[in-house]
Amino acid sequence: MTFRIEQAAALTGIIAVAGWSGAACAAEGADEMDANAEAIVVTGSILESQQASVEAKRRADNVADIAAADAVGRFPDQNSAAALARLPAVAVQRDQGQERYIQVRGAPNRWTSVNIDGIPVVGVDEGGDTRAFRFDAIPAVLLSQIVVNKSLTSSLQADAIVATIDLQTYSPMEREGLHVTGDAGYGFMDQGGGEQRQASLRLSWSNDRFGFVVGGSHYRRKQLTDNREVGLYDEPSDASDQTFGPTEFDVRQYKLERWNNGLFGGIEFSPADGQRLYAKGIFTEFNDDEQRNQYELRLDQAAGGTRNLDEGTLVQVPLRGSFNYGEYRNRNYIGTIGGDYEGDDGFAVHVKANYTRTENTTYLPLTQASTSGLASPSLTYDRSNPNFPVVTLYQTVAGPDGNPTVGPQITDFDQGILSVGGTYMIAARQKTISDSYTLKLDMTKEFEGLTLGFGGLYADRDIAGNNFSFSNIVYLGAYGAAVGQPFDINSYVTGKPWDTQFPLGFTLNYVDNVAMRKDIDALLETLQAAGLYDTANDIPATDKYFQKEKTLAAYAMAKAEFGAATVIGGVRFERYILDNAGTVLAGGVYAPLALRRTYNDFFPSLNIKYQATDNLVLRLAGQRGVSRPAYGALRVGASINDTASPGEIGGGNPALEPEYTWGADASVEYYLPGNGLVSVAGFYRWVDDVLYQSQRPVGSDFYDFGGVDRSGYLLGATFNGDKGKLYGLEFNVLKQFDFLPEPFDGLGFQGNLTLLDGSFDTPTEKDIVFQGLSDKIANASVFYEKFGISARVSYQWRSDWLDTLGGLGSGEYRKGYENLDVSLRYAINENFTLFADLANLTDETYIAYEGTTDKPTEVEQIGARYLFGGRFSF
């Protein structure tokens, strides 16, 4: 690790030295800023981007935070989630160290909705178990501006409790003439030395009547992820119990290749001033090819011995190997056509039609085998450092009495001890597709001191998918031998040791997952031809769901100006219809069931803005909002056990109600003379019918078919709880120190701190913490921009949070973490810039734990990232 950091420092130094020596020919500042009443777009320096963001925030009618164009390019951010994480009260959720979801104000990610160019989009990740939008599928380079609307106006969708995020794409009419911009970079991952690379290109041309833009982006990384997990922790049953503590040690390493691609294009035509027609198309994809090397020491299944939280000595511990070469795919196809008319009489019309298709698929052919008998090793373990237990392996031998006992220490562990005949594969699959058609209309009419607004939206969305299905088990060992294609799981062990930074106590070699997957695919074809494997069984009918949702919305609002005060009030009406169909299995009989739910709701909103002085802005806002349950959580499909007492049902909960909220926001914003901002904002959300996971009686006759009353059966699913509350304070500072003498006047600071709290109740428990709620979130950046140099050191931190409820009371928590990034830019001239992005320099270890930190359930690390390259603009 040290060697690679020194390499990165040396390359960074070269760029910095070149910057100082070439200052005479460097161009300060950047491309011109085009500011108008709708948006601010900047393609230049850190300072200009921040000034654009500050000015857009000042002009906004509601409480909002905004990231302008090149704020994205000045950070080492490959996707829009990483860019959003720089804004106040925004935290990021990572997968394998890469930003994926965002959480605004510590709320569950389902409470934040997303628009792309004003059109609502919905996520269908992980089988539709969440409506949260995946930001890792949207490359940051596609965007010109990101707006986080923390208070709502009636023209915005009501499906938001804490925020609506609008991702705004680039318009060619913002800059006349021919413009070509792009970048290319190459670097490496500190852990494992895998490459990372990125490139983007955008070409635009316009005159005063016509313009077009085309572009694309690519980002790829190859990484290793160290991972250690513990299944559960047993508690002692009494004072004499000597078999408690961790139930297993799960030793994993993932070898990943991830890549994002984006293509976009647009044409715009302005036949006359105030008139515009346009068409835009976007394709984005996130791909993840993931190899798993995993060994589980199943401590709770040992033949004998003792174990506790600190140490253990165990005899004949079964070892299970799990391997796969899996594929994750997420794709978005987005097409929008529209038109704008702004007349001299103050009348304006904006109309757009959109088609969006989102596909999320996963295929994880997980191959497993275990040891048996004396092939299972004995062991001792030491948890002096609970995050990294040290395990010593011993042979298991037969004692004088024939019972297994501890033999000699194993100095060269043989991984080829898994049972070939007992090898099986779980054909885990998930696929969810959403097709959405949306029509949106907005009209305004300006009078003296008064603007009236009217509009509506129609959205028709079809969702077909399944929750993650892993019930089809294929016995590769037995079936392979039966068809003359024997499968030996041990034959894929290589002679290459794991490249790991985590201590373990014994060494492991990699398994050739690629070759294993190739042979399994060939074997499955043979088994299918022989009638021993049926792909149709990979996804049971009870896991599938088919849903159709329609939203018809209309709103009316007014904006009145009373001297220094501006008041925006309105009401939005939404009629929401959900047709929900699926299949239920009971007593060996499949029964199709369907349900229609209709909701008619009014959502009022009020935003008051008071310009107390030229630089002081006060805001007060209130609104009603909604968050609708995820498609997978609502699914009709279920498996029913009529023989249990009481009967049991496992599946979705089609009776789920939406979560509704009343919310209040207030802020004080002081805009520093020259540039900069100091602001304090507070918010409170009252939420009804909060969602949580549990097991409760069905309480309805929905499953009463075949003459069986199942209203008293226990349903394990998502339910509506009672009331909840979420509140917090946000502090934000941004300032360049232009009052300092040269050259120190190029220094600046941007930072924010958010303090949060909240909880909800269920029928049986009170004051349950929200999933994802860190009580503190902080971001800080120190930058320097002068003489053609743009340098930035950025720090992010969030405190611990609850990750999963796990049936309430036994949840898994995530330990807070910090992240340190360094970004360097040097403008050789007005057309070329060199860059160096050094990310995750703290080499964070991400930790999950059960209740207290001395019981970690997952420890993961991916290492730092280094990327070097150049940007150009003509």
Side-chain angles (χ1 to χ4, degrees):
M1 175 177 173
T2 303
F3 174 70
R4 290 200 174 96
I5 290 180
E6 290 173 351
Q7 284 182 317
L11 289 171
T12 303
I14 291 172
I15 293 178
V17 170
W20 287 106
S21 63
C25 65
E28 291 190 42
D31 299 328
E32 294 182 357
M33 178 177 67
D34 178 19
N36 55 61
E38 296 300 324
I40 295 179
V41 177
V42 179
T43 57
S45 66
I46 296 175
L47 181 60
E48 287 185 344
S49 291
Q50 289 182 339
Q51 288 175 331
S53 298
V54 169
E55 182 60 26
K57 179 180 178 70
R58 183 203 289 255
R59 289 201 322 238
D61 289 332
N62 58 334
V63 179
D65 287 301
I66 299 160
D70 211 47
V72 171
R74 296 288 165 174
F75 286 107
D77 299 335
Q78 281 79 40
N79 65 56
S80 48
L84 279 161
R86 313 291 176 178
L87 295 175
V90 178
V92 67
Q93 289 179 280
R94 289 176 166 85
D95 176 71
Q96 304 277 12
Q98 190 169 10
E99 299 84 356
R100 172 164 295 177
Y101 299 113
I102 59 97
Q103 292 175 263
V104 179
R105 292 173 161 175
N109 50 31
R110 67 180 184 269
W111 285 3
T112 297
S113 61
V114 178
N115 293 338
I116 296 181
D117 289 325
I119 295 294
V121 294
V122 176
V124 292
D125 194 21
E126 300 300 333
D129 278 344
T130 173
R131 291 167 69 102
F133 186 76
R134 283 185 58 155
F135 289 89
D136 56 3
I138 304 296
V141 71
L142 272 67
L143 307 174
S144 66
Q145 185 170 265
I146 304 174
V147 180
V148 180
N149 295 287
K150 294 180 177 177
S151 71
L152 302 181
T153 63
S154 297
S155 59
L156 295 170
Q157 61 175 314
D159 195 354
I161 287 183
V162 292
T164 290
I165 296 176
D166 192 14
L167 306 176
Q168 299 178 5
T169 60
Y170 182 82
S171 168
M173 300 293 282
E174 290 160 357
R175 302 167 68 198
E176 286 194 14
L178 177 65
H179 298 277
V180 181
T181 60
D183 69 83
Y186 188 86
F188 57 91
M189 309 290 293
D190 179 66
Q191 182 168 312
E195 70 171 8
Q196 63 168 339
R197 64 182 190 234
Q198 74 174 44
S200 69
L201 180 67
R202 185 178 70 204
L203 184 149
S204 66
W205 178 87
S206 71
N207 57 23
D208 59 347
R209 293 300 179 208
F210 177 79
F212 72 88
V213 61
V214 293
S217 67
H218 171 77
Y219 173 74
R220 183 183 295 263
R221 70 161 66 168
K222 297 179 180 180
Q223 75 176 58
L224 295 179
T225 302
D226 270 332
N227 183 282
R228 302 288 186 268
E229 297 192 16
V230 172
L232 293 170
Y233 289 89
D234 287 338
E235 297 295 333
S237 57
D238 54 47
S240 63
D241 189 359
Q242 297 298 306
T243 56
F244 66 94
T247 59
E248 70 178 50
F249 290 143
D250 191 342
V251 184
R252 307 185 188 191
Q253 191 177 77
Y254 297 95
K255 184 183 294 185
L256 285 70
E257 183 170 5
R258 289 184 167 181
W259 66 100
N260 296 66
N261 292 314
L263 295 172
F264 57 97
I267 56 174
E268 298 188 16
F269 175 57
S270 177
D273 291 346
Q275 300 177 23
R276 183 175 72 119
L277 301 172
Y278 59 88
K280 293 183 178 182
I282 301 172
F283 167 76
T284 70
E285 64 173 355
F286 169 84
N287 306 275
D288 183 5
D289 285 353
E290 188 169 298
Q291 300 182 48
R292 177 197 301 229
N293 283 259
Q294 175 180 344
Y295 289 93
E296 302 165 59
L297 291 161
R298 311 181 78 176
L299 309 180
D300 60 342
Q301 297 185 22
T306 61
R307 61 185 169 96
N308 57 44
L309 196 59
D310 299 320
E311 59 187 6
T313 300
L314 298 170
V315 180
Q316 193 173 303
V317 179
L319 174 72
R320 180 167 64 186
S322 299
F323 316 99
N324 72 16
Y325 180 32
E327 301 167 1
Y328 299 84
R329 301 290 185 264
N330 185 276
R331 290 184 171 88
N332 295 279
Y333 306 83
I334 303 168
T336 304
I337 58 174
D340 301 322
Y341 170 79
E342 297 179 2
D344 295 334
D345 59 353
F347 179 68
V349 179
H350 306 277
V351 62
K352 58 186 68 177
N354 171 271
Y355 169 72
T356 296
R357 179 182 178 89
T358 299
E359 301 175 355
N360 194 86
T361 61
T362 305
Y363 178 44
L364 299 179
L366 184 63
T367 306
Q368 294 186 323
S370 300
T371 58
S372 62
L374 297 180
S376 299
S378 298
L379 61 82
T380 61
Y381 67 83
D382 177 2
R383 288 184 75 253
S384 297
N385 182 346
N387 294 333
F388 302 110
V390 175
V391 177
T392 304
L393 297 180
Y394 300 87
Q395 295 179 18
T396 301
V397 297
D401 57 358
N403 293 321
T405 187
V406 178
Q409 181 177 346
I410 297 174
T411 57
D412 187 14
F413 177 57
D414 179 12
Q415 294 169 240
I417 57 175
L418 302 178
S419 171
V420 174
T423 302
Y424 59 91
M425 185 202 71
I426 303 173
R429 293 184 186 270
Q430 174 271 315
K431 184 175 184 179
T432 304
I433 297 176
S434 168
D435 284 294
S436 179
Y437 299 87
T438 305
L439 180 64
K440 190 172 188 289
L441 172 67
D442 298 281
M443 298 181 293
T444 58
K445 173 63 176 177
E446 294 182 4
F447 302 92
E448 185 174 353
L450 177 67
T451 302
L452 300 179
F454 305 92
L457 176 141
Y458 175 74
D460 190 327
R461 182 176 290 114
D462 291 328
I463 306 97
N466 67 285
N467 64 313
F468 210 100
S469 303
F470 45 87
S471 60
N472 196 10
I473 300 177
V474 184
Y475 297 96
L476 299 177
Y479 290 173
V483 297
Q485 228 172 297
F487 183 84
D488 183 358
I489 192 172
N490 297 315
S491 66
Y492 299 96
V493 178
T494 71
K496 183 180 179 182
W498 279 17
D499 185 356
T500 177
Q501 299 184 55
F502 283 4
L504 177 59
F506 60 94
T507 60
L508 290 169
N509 289 337
Y510 285 110
V511 167
D512 190 344
N513 284 285
V514 176
M516 183 186 294
R517 167 71 185 274
K518 181 179 179 182
D519 291 345
I520 288 175
D521 288 346
L523 177 56
L524 290 179
E525 289 184 9
T526 303
L527 296 179
Q528 190 167 8
L532 297 174
Y533 169 62
D534 187 355
T535 57
N537 295 331
D538 289 354
I539 304 176
T542 54
D543 286 351
K544 298 179 181 179
Y545 55 87
F546 305 92
Q547 297 171 355
K548 187 178 187 67
E549 64 176 6
K550 293 183 179 180
T551 303
L552 180 62
Y555 73 89
M557 58 186 292
K559 175 180 177 180
E561 299 181 10
F562 306 96
T566 303
V567 179
I568 304 99
V571 63
R572 184 181 184 90
F573 169 78
E574 288 193 358
R575 179 177 176 84
Y576 176 81
I577 302 172
L578 176 68
D579 290 306
N580 193 356
T583 301
V584 174
L585 174 63
V589 177
Y590 289 93
L593 294 179
L595 182 69
R596 166 172 280 204
R597 306 292 297 273
T598 301
Y599 300 88
N600 297 302
D601 292 303
F602 288 92
F603 300 96
S605 66
L606 178 67
N607 284 267
I608 302 173
K609 175 182 175 181
Y610 182 69
Q611 188 84 34
T613 69
D614 289 342
N615 296 318
L616 181 62
V617 177
L618 309 178
R619 300 180 190 271
L620 184 64
Q623 76 244 328
R624 185 174 189 247
V626 65
S627 176
R628 308 193 192 280
Y631 305 113
L634 276 165
R635 73 183 190 278
V636 169
S639 296
I640 300 177
N641 184 352
D642 285 320
T643 61
S645 181
E648 295 178 342
I649 303 176
N653 182 3
L656 273 182
E657 296 289 340
E659 299 166 291
Y660 290 95
T661 182
W662 286 97
D665 294 83
S667 71
V668 178
E669 303 162 4
Y670 183 72
Y671 295 87
L672 300 173
N675 65 79
L677 167 70
V678 176
S679 67
V680 179
F683 73 94
Y684 205 107
R685 295 291 185 271
W686 296 266
V687 187
D688 292 328
D689 299 320
V690 177
L691 301 181
Y692 74 106
Q693 291 78 45
S694 186
Q695 187 179 54
R696 287 168 45 182
V698 174
S700 74
D701 61 358
F702 181 72
Y703 295 106
D704 293 357
F705 59 88
V708 180
D709 179 6
R710 299 185 175 93
S711 59
Y713 281 22
L714 294 179
L715 172 64
T718 301
F719 291 89
N720 291 107
D722 294 331
K723 298 182 182 298
K725 55 186 181 296
L726 179 69
Y727 50 93
L729 287 173
E730 305 166 10
F731 304 89
N732 187 26
V733 177
L734 190 159
K735 176 62 178 175
Q736 185 184 22
F737 305 144
D738 50 4
F739 52 85
L740 294 176
E742 192 175 8
F744 303 107
D745 56 345
L747 284 168
F749 174 80
Q750 179 180 5
N752 53 75
L753 171 66
T754 305
L755 307 178
L756 299 161
D757 201 357
S759 63
F760 70 96
D761 299 335
T762 74
T764 58
E765 298 192 43
K766 302 293 184 183
D767 296 324
I768 300 169
V769 68
F770 285 111
Q771 291 175 263
L773 179 62
S774 292
D775 59 8
K776 300 179 186 67
I777 303 170
N779 294 284
S781 298
V782 177
F783 65 87
Y784 182 85
E785 188 161 61
K786 202 172 181 67
F787 309 121
I789 292 176
S790 294
R792 188 163 211 156
V793 178
S794 303
Y795 176 82
Q796 296 174 309
W797 174 78
R798 66 180 299 187
S799 61
D800 297 13
W801 73 95
L802 178 64
D803 191 36
T804 57
L805 290 178
L808 297 180
S810 59
E812 182 179 65
Y813 289 82
R814 290 281 170 177
K815 186 173 177 57
Y817 61 84
E818 58 187 1
N819 198 76
L820 182 68
D821 302 333
V822 174
S823 300
L824 300 175
R825 305 287 188 269
Y826 171 63
I828 298 175
N829 54 42
E830 63 181 6
N831 301 119
F832 294 98
T833 300
L834 300 177
F835 72 81
D837 290 333
L838 318 178
N840 189 27
L841 294 182
T842 52
D843 196 11
E844 273 303 280
T845 300
Y846 304 103
I847 298 172
Y849 59 91
E850 182 185 305
T852 58
T853 55
D854 65 337
K855 295 181 179 179
T857 54
E858 181 180 18
V859 180
E860 187 174 81
Q861 190 174 41
I862 69 163
R865 310 190 304 273
Y866 310 105
L867 186 69
F868 307 91
R871 308 180 73 189
F872 57 88
S873 178
F874 297 95

